[in-house]
Amino acid sequence: MANVRLEKINRIYNNVTAIEDISFEVPDGEFWVLLGPSGCGKSTILRTIAGLETATSGNLYINNRLVNEIPARQRDVAMVFQNYALYPHMSVAENLAFGLKMRQIEPQIIQERVHKVARSLSIDRLLNRKPKQLSGGQQQRVALGRAIVREPQVFLLDEPLSNLDAQLRDDTRAELKKLHQRLNITTVYVTHDQTEAMTLADKIVVLDQGKIQQIGDPQTVYAQP
Ligand code: ADP
Ligand code: ADP
């Protein structure tokens, strides 16, 4: 587990300010949601935490260490995207195991972790299938599983439910909530959907045009007109 702290983060793309003066701290084990309309800067913040973008200015700390000073291999951050990119030629089990194999973890431990994660996401009966033999919801569960099987310190999710139909979205959202209650991985979750934010968040960061409008717990934020 780890806390994540942003201090006065700015990101400017060729004269366009995508995010401005972003400061907040996600404590160890909490689930925070970045909420706001398309273009308000949610993904830019998430991608900055992930190390996929470099802030134009400001400081980012993970586990109280300045991120620039953490070697890439030690940045123990896992990200799940809207478009779950599974390896099409690999089975579900192989998809889940891939990141662990790359880290040269013992085969027996890989097996155990893959099965545990598969059970917790109710995909244990799908382990021998290929991605194209799965529904969209099942594929997204595999994508979630592939990220958490590594047991990252920080879990980042960018609109992970938006490609699912309404029923699956509700189910997967509930699944995610249970998963977090069980694992307590520090999580930052991006969405434009208020219901998702309300159900999942310990704290909601409301963004508008690249700036923080407010930070609060779901009750307080929702009470705003
Ligand atoms: P959101 O995730 O809330 O939809 P983004 O973080 O994707 O918002 O984008 C925030 C703003 O930054 C938008 O105005 C977007 O057009 C701009 N932006 C994002 N990425 C880039 C980029 N690579 N180049 C130029 N502008 C970008
Ligand atoms: P989202 O809203 O889910 O972030 P977008 O379609 O806004 O998705 O962005 C997808 C990708 O395009 C991101 O990598 C983002 O950085 C980039 N992007 C977004 N806006 C711009 C832009 N105005 N110019 C160049 N790249 C952009």
Side-chain angles (χ1 to χ4, degrees):
M1 287 216 296
N3 60 336
V4 175
R5 185 161 88 248
L6 290 79
E7 264 177 17
K8 299 183 186 300
I9 298 276
N10 293 289
R11 179 66 166 100
I12 300 166
Y13 296 106
N14 335 294
N15 299 329
V16 178
T17 301
I19 53 172
E20 193 175 344
D21 198 23
I22 302 295
S23 300
F24 59 85
E25 177 172 354
V26 185
D28 252 4
E30 290 203 359
F31 195 121
W32 281 40
V33 171
L34 309 181
L35 175 68
S38 181
C40 72
K42 305 182 295 294
S43 291
T44 302
I45 296 174
L46 206 68
R47 293 164 57 82
T48 303
I49 300 172
L52 301 170
E53 301 272 357
T54 308
T56 308
S57 62
N59 293 322
L60 169 67
Y61 302 83
I62 296 179
N63 223 357
N64 302 315
R65 280 179 80 187
L66 198 55
V67 154
N68 307 344
E69 293 168 0
I70 308 176
R73 286 168 161 276
Q74 285 178 31
R75 284 182 212 170
D76 202 1
V77 168
M79 181 148 168
V80 174
F81 300 91
Q82 187 171 348
N83 301 309
Y84 31 82
L86 301 175
Y87 304 112
H89 57 290
M90 293 185 195
S91 69
V92 168
E94 288 163 339
N95 265 282
L96 292 173
F98 186 74
L100 298 177
K101 273 196 189 145
M102 298 297 285
R103 286 176 176 70
Q104 278 144 24
I105 292 172
E106 273 179 59
Q108 197 191 329
I109 294 176
I110 295 181
Q111 279 284 3
E112 286 166 11
R113 284 215 219 156
V114 164
H115 281 273
K116 190 169 131 214
V117 163
R119 271 195 306 276
S120 70
L121 285 163
S122 310
I123 50 174
D124 42 342
R125 283 182 301 167
L126 309 174
L127 285 171
N128 294 321
R129 294 208 198 160
K130 294 280 171 62
K132 68 169 187 291
Q133 300 170 302
L134 304 175
S135 70
Q138 291 169 335
Q139 288 186 42
Q140 188 57 300
R141 280 169 197 236
V142 177
L144 292 171
R146 196 176 55 178
I148 56 173
V149 77
R150 282 174 34 204
E151 301 179 358
Q153 290 190 315
V154 178
F155 195 22
L156 305 174
L157 300 136
D158 194 350
E159 307 249 7
L161 308 183
S162 57
N163 282 338
L164 307 180
D165 67 38
Q167 181 63 51
L168 258 174
R169 203 180 310 141
D170 291 352
D171 293 350
T172 313
R173 194 180 69 212
E175 220 39 83
L176 255 178
K177 176 142 188 139
K178 273 195 272 175
L179 202 64
H180 182 256
Q181 283 163 349
R182 199 151 359 110
L183 303 177
N184 277 301
I185 301 174
T186 310
T187 301
V188 185
Y189 183 105
V190 158
T191 185
H192 61 269
D193 183 308
Q194 203 157 34
T195 311
E196 280 175 28
M198 289 287 297
T199 342
L200 291 168
D202 291 315
K203 283 271 179 358
I204 300 175
V205 179
V206 182
L207 293 154
D208 188 36
Q209 299 187 39
K211 293 187 191 157
I212 294 178
Q213 291 295 305
Q214 54 170 326
I215 301 179
D217 55 40
Q219 294 81 353
T220 348
V221 164
Y222 199 60
Q224 297 291 321

